[in-house]
Amino acid sequence: MQRWRHAGDRKNFGDWLVLTMDIKMDEAGLQLVCEQLNAITSDMEKFLDFGNGEQSDNYKIVFKHDGAIVHERAFFHEAAKITGLRPLISQYVSNVNHENYTWQDEFHPRGSYAIAELALADENYIPQFARLLFNWDMGHETYHYRLIDKLFEKYGYTEKTLFLLAARVCADGQNSDENVLRALYRHGFKEQIRLEDFIRIAMSILPHLESAWQLRKFARIYAGEDKAQYVQVTEIFLDALRKDKKITAVMDEVQDSFSEEYDELQLMEVAGFLGNETLGDWNEDLNNALVESTDLSKLVPLDADEA
């Protein structure tokens, strides 16, 4: 295991840290690597330290097996198959997301490959992924729409996917409405969802009390072109919000947003397309991220005593 410094494109993208690891792809080898990853990322400031007070904002992990490079996604895909390694992968994800708005490269928040493969392998890790939506910069999301849709498609309507749906709404994001629409109308959530359960979960994870207005968008999508149903849904939501003492200070503002004039916003005109659209692989078109295309010939060793 060795840390390196890669001299990036200084005009567009600064230097980043590269961690190289020789691995074995059997269970013992995968476990060893997961343990090593947890050890080295337990102190992220030290892990990302270039020396002389400089730190990397981004990093890449290069796994090598018998001289061939194994993509990070492929590594975590294999590791996540082993039940006993899943807690180790989960800990790694927590380690690298010790602060908000962190990136591994320009398309992937830290730990993206690990948590994606973990959630796809085991539904129990969906809540961890859902909570990360509040840590990441969802105003510049990339693969999230496809991955979230894949999780809804794979697991259907469950307690954990309901939590993910609520987090998707409360954390917002560029494609939040599309995920809600497809969950409700393509993946069958509308026929099964209990609105009282949804609002209860949403209220427990709202990042800011003022964010309660985002629940109106969910009500709008849920009701579609049925104005009467929209009124019914918003009343269920408002009734729950009124009973929460924490919301009292902002209740007038929230209620005003819910009482805005109902309009169709032409949402249902695109519902058919979004509902029937076939989404590709969650990481499609993102494999050529700059940090993912590292030219290993440009690496400068750190921790020289280990080189």
Side-chain angles (χ1 to χ4, degrees):
M1 179 170 59
Q2 172 67 45
R3 295 188 315 131
W4 308 79
R5 181 172 185 158
H6 186 285
D9 177 349
R10 295 177 183 277
K11 181 178 180 181
N12 300 308
F13 205 78
D15 293 5
W16 62 82
L17 183 136
V18 178
L19 177 69
T20 57
M21 304 182 75
D22 291 317
I23 66 174
K24 300 291 185 182
M25 292 298 285
D26 57 14
E27 182 171 348
L30 293 169
Q31 178 173 340
L32 177 62
V33 172
C34 288
E35 291 171 345
Q36 290 176 329
L37 281 175
N38 278 328
I40 198 169
T41 61
S42 62
D43 185 339
M44 284 298 289
E45 290 189 8
K46 183 178 180 181
F47 173 61
L48 297 172
D49 183 37
F50 281 143
N52 300 321
E54 294 183 74
Q55 277 202 325
S56 175
D57 291 326
N58 307 277
Y59 69 91
K60 173 183 174 63
I61 303 176
V62 177
F63 297 111
K64 294 182 179 180
H65 178 249
D66 292 337
I69 292 179
V70 176
H71 194 284
E72 185 178 345
R73 177 180 179 182
F75 170 83
F76 284 114
H77 178 77
E78 292 302 315
K81 291 179 181 179
I82 303 171
T83 304
L85 299 188
R86 292 170 186 170
L88 295 176
I89 301 171
S90 173
Q91 183 59 56
Y92 162 73
V93 173
S94 296
N95 285 354
V96 298
N97 284 283
H98 71 295
E99 57 187 358
N100 292 342
Y101 301 114
T102 55
W103 291 85
Q104 183 164 337
D105 59 53
E106 68 270 46
F107 293 126
H108 299 87
R110 292 180 188 170
S112 291
Y113 292 114
I115 192 60
E117 294 300 330
L118 193 57
L120 287 167
D122 189 335
E123 184 186 5
N124 290 314
Y125 292 95
I126 286 180
Q128 181 179 15
F129 169 66
R131 291 186 180 95
L132 285 172
L133 301 181
F134 296 97
N135 287 55
W136 293 340
D137 181 5
M138 297 305 290
H140 297 87
E141 64 177 271
T142 53
Y143 66 85
H144 306 79
Y145 171 36
R146 288 175 172 175
L147 176 60
I148 291 171
D149 187 78
K150 189 66 177 179
L151 294 171
F152 289 152
E153 178 183 50
K154 178 172 183 176
Y155 297 111
Y157 180 80
T158 69
E159 179 181 349
K160 292 179 175 61
T161 56
L162 178 61
F163 184 89
L164 175 57
L165 180 63
R168 183 51 156 149
V169 172
C170 294
D172 203 10
Q174 293 171 301
N175 298 111
S176 176
D177 290 356
E178 290 90 335
N179 272 139
V180 172
L181 191 149
R182 285 176 63 90
L184 292 175
Y185 294 100
R186 181 181 177 92
H187 302 308
F189 281 37
K190 185 168 183 179
E191 289 76 17
Q192 301 178 71
I193 195 169
R194 290 189 71 255
L195 294 172
E196 292 81 3
D197 291 338
F198 174 82
I199 185 62
R200 171 180 54 80
I201 295 172
M203 289 171 59
S204 72
I205 58 177
L206 279 172
H208 310 288
L209 299 181
E210 295 84 351
S211 299
W213 69 268
Q214 292 173 184
L215 298 170
R216 178 184 185 267
K217 294 200 300 182
F218 175 88
R220 173 67 191 85
I221 298 170
Y222 180 93
E225 298 175 324
D226 189 337
K227 183 175 181 179
Q229 188 172 68
Y230 175 76
V231 172
Q232 178 186 22
V233 176
T234 55
E235 189 52 42
I236 291 173
F237 287 0
L238 288 171
D239 183 59
L241 291 166
R242 293 187 193 103
K243 294 176 181 176
D244 190 328
K245 294 182 179 180
K246 300 189 299 297
I247 303 291
T248 302
V250 297
M251 190 61 207
D252 288 345
E253 178 182 345
V254 171
Q255 190 155 333
D256 285 346
S257 73
F258 273 88
S259 63
E260 291 177 6
E261 183 178 356
Y262 177 85
D263 59 80
E264 295 183 3
L265 297 176
Q266 297 182 327
L267 182 64
M268 291 301 110
E269 291 185 12
V270 299
F273 171 74
L274 289 175
N276 294 321
E277 181 186 15
T278 298
L279 302 185
D281 179 77
W282 68 267
N283 198 57
E284 188 175 329
D285 299 328
L286 298 183
N287 283 324
N288 291 323
L290 183 59
V291 174
E292 291 302 316
S293 304
T294 296
D295 180 352
L296 300 182
S297 68
K298 297 181 179 179
L299 299 184
V300 177
L302 300 169
D303 312 319
D305 56 322
E306 300 179 16

